Amino acid sequence: MTSHAFRKTVATALDDAGQTARGAANQLGHSRISMTQDHYFDRKAPNPAATTAIQQAFQDPNLT
């Protein structure tokens, strides 16, 4: 996992938990809230089946 992917994961978790954009921006180290909103928030899965498949893949103990 890249650092960028990890940051997106953190931002998504904060967004899903109902955190404000300002709070998430602070956590991610963004001085501009727009950076967080434009690049990290409001990116919902366009394909729920793909999201489920990816989640199941990461739960596979044989994943290397």
Side-chain angles (χ1 to χ4, degrees):
M1 175 178 275
T2 66
S3 60
H4 182 71
F6 181 72
R7 288 172 62 80
K8 284 187 136 190
T9 301
V10 169
T12 299
L14 294 171
D15 189 19
D16 290 347
Q19 295 295 306
T20 65
R22 174 75 271 164
N26 287 343
Q27 182 65 39
L28 295 169
H30 297 154
S31 59
R32 291 179 292 131
I33 296 171
S34 62
M35 172 64 83
T36 306
Q37 292 172 318
D38 293 346
H39 297 282
Y40 294 91
F41 273 20
D42 298 323
R43 299 209 175 202
K44 304 304 178 201
N47 183 345
T51 300
T52 299
I54 292 167
Q55 288 173 337
Q56 289 174 346
F58 278 100
Q59 293 173 355
D60 184 350
N62 297 316
L63 184 67
T64 58

